[in-house]
Amino acid sequence: MTNWIDTHCHLDAPEFDADALEVATRARSADVTHCVLPAVSVGNFATVRLLAEQFGYSYALGLHPLWLREAQDSDLKALDEELTRHQSDPRLVAVGEIGLDYFVPELLVSPMRERQEHFYREQLKLARKHNFPVILHVRRSADRLLKHLRDIRPEGGWCGIAHAFNGSQQQAEEFIKLGFKLGFGGGVTYEAALQLRRLATSIPLSALVMETDSPDIPPHWLYTTAADRALGTPQGRNEPAELPRIAQVVAELRGIPLGELAAATTANALAALPKLRNLVQC
Ligand SMILES: [Zn+2]
C-alpha cells in the first residue's frame, strides 16, 4: 500500500475554516495518511495542536519570518515555555516554521532584516535546548540560514526539513551535509521551473521529502493566472490530497516508480522528524 506524508501543511489557515474535515478526508482517500502542521506565530500554537489531535496529525511550534512584524521578545519566552510543557507530547515533532525571508522587500532591509535574524537565532537555540528538529523557511536566504545553523549546532548535529527548497545545487548539498532533508511540492509541476526540476532529480533520493505547503504553492493544474484573477477567478487552493499527483511529477522526473518515491520519502520524513515514528505506520 502506498502512503504519503505531507510534511508541510497549514491546515489552520483561514482558507480551510469551512471544510478542514473534508480536506482531511480527501487526503486520506488519496493515501496521504499524515500531515505535519507548522505554526507561524504564538497566536496559532493552540490551533495547530488542536487540529493535530483532531485528525491524528502532528504539529510544530515556531515564529515564522513573515509573521514577525507584531512579534515580541516575550513570544520567544512563550515558545520556550510551550516546548517545555509539551516536550513529551508525541504530536509535537519540531520547532517551526522558522527561518529568513529575503524575498519580501520590507524584510530585506533594516530593521526587519536584523529582527528576522534575531528571532531565527533565538529559535535555533530553543530547538537545540529542547532537542527538537527544525522546519526551515528558506527564501533567497540559504547561505545566511546555513551560517547560523553552523554557529548554533546541537552536539549530535541538526535534523529537520528545509521546506519548499529552491536554492542552488551547492546550497542543497550544504543543507544535506548538515543533516537536513529538502521539501518539494507544487513548484516542481511547472515546466518553466527548470532549476527546481533539476534539483528534484539531482539530489540523492535519501534527502527528499514531499509537501504541499497548503493552501499555498498550488500545482500548475490549480494555478490561476493574474489575468484570470483580475476577471474574478480566485487563486486555486492547494490541499494535501494533491500530494500524490505532485509526487507523480517528481517520480517521472527521476524516472522511478511512484511507489518507490512514496516509500523513500516516507522513510526520509521519519528520519527528519523522528517522533513521527510513533504516529505513522509504514
Ligand atoms: Zn509554511
Side-chain angles (χ1 to χ4, degrees):
M1 195 184 128
T2 311
N3 275 330
W4 296 99
I5 299 178
D6 184 348
T7 58
H8 202 103
C9 167
H10 295 282
L11 193 58
D12 63 303
E15 284 88 340
F16 295 120
D17 277 356
D19 64 346
L21 177 60
E22 285 89 336
V23 167
T25 306
R26 272 197 295 276
R28 217 156 284 258
S29 313
D31 295 328
V32 180
T33 50
H34 193 88
C35 299
V36 181
L37 316 180
V40 295
S41 73
V42 168
N44 81 335
F45 284 3
T47 316
V48 292
R49 176 179 309 115
L50 279 173
L51 285 168
E53 281 166 8
Q54 188 181 348
F55 297 117
Y57 293 162
S58 57
Y59 66 102
L61 295 178
L63 310 170
H64 188 298
L66 296 181
W67 269 263
L68 289 180
R69 282 178 202 90
E70 312 293 323
Q72 311 280 330
D73 262 345
S74 59
D75 292 353
L76 289 167
K77 196 161 170 278
L79 175 59
D80 192 9
E81 285 165 7
E82 286 278 301
L83 294 172
T84 306
R85 192 174 312 133
H86 300 282
Q87 173 89 45
S88 56
D89 179 351
R91 300 195 183 281
L92 175 56
V93 296
V95 167
E97 171 177 357
I98 67 171
L100 298 170
D101 193 303
Y102 292 163
F103 176 75
V104 178
E106 182 204 343
L107 301 183
L108 192 55
V109 293
S110 223
M112 283 307 293
R113 192 182 173 97
E114 293 78 14
R115 201 170 159 70
Q116 287 197 70
E117 210 140 18
H118 167 67
F119 277 89
Y120 173 53
R121 283 185 65 89
E122 292 307 310
Q123 292 185 93
L124 287 182
K125 289 181 199 164
L126 290 178
R128 182 177 63 181
K129 171 181 167 187
H130 294 282
N131 198 22
F132 275 105
V134 287
I135 296 175
L136 298 173
H137 174 96
V138 192
R139 215 155 47 145
R140 299 201 179 160
S141 55
D143 290 338
R144 204 73 191 150
L145 286 168
L146 286 163
K147 176 199 175 305
H148 294 302
L149 288 167
R150 290 191 193 101
D151 276 5
I152 303 164
R153 205 171 174 164
E155 232 168 76
W158 284 111
C159 75
I161 295 169
H163 117 83
F165 191 78
N166 197 0
S168 69
Q169 176 73 33
Q170 195 205 342
Q171 288 165 336
E173 284 163 16
E174 292 301 317
F175 277 100
I176 295 167
K177 239 186 264 169
L178 277 175
F180 285 88
K181 309 293 182 196
L182 308 180
F184 288 82
V188 293
T189 65
Y190 296 85
E191 277 177 18
L194 294 178
Q195 198 200 318
L196 186 61
R197 287 181 154 216
R198 211 173 301 131
L199 205 57
T201 56
S202 63
I203 64 164
L205 185 57
S206 60
L208 211 151
V209 294
M210 294 304 305
E211 61 169 65
T212 60
D213 200 21
S214 306
D216 298 326
I217 320 192
H220 80 78
W221 52 88
L222 293 178
Y223 183 75
T224 311
T225 63
D228 287 341
R229 286 200 296 279
L231 293 172
T233 313
Q235 183 56 277
R237 183 188 70 171
N238 198 4
E239 62 172 75
E242 300 293 338
L243 194 75
R245 198 171 159 196
I246 295 169
Q248 177 71 48
V249 175
V250 175
E252 279 166 20
L253 287 169
R254 294 190 69 102
I256 59 170
L258 191 60
E260 185 183 338
L261 183 68
T265 54
T266 296
N268 297 344
L270 302 191
L273 308 172
K275 280 171 85 179
L276 285 183
R277 293 199 178 113
N278 302 317
L279 299 171
V280 176
Q281 268 112 40
C282 60

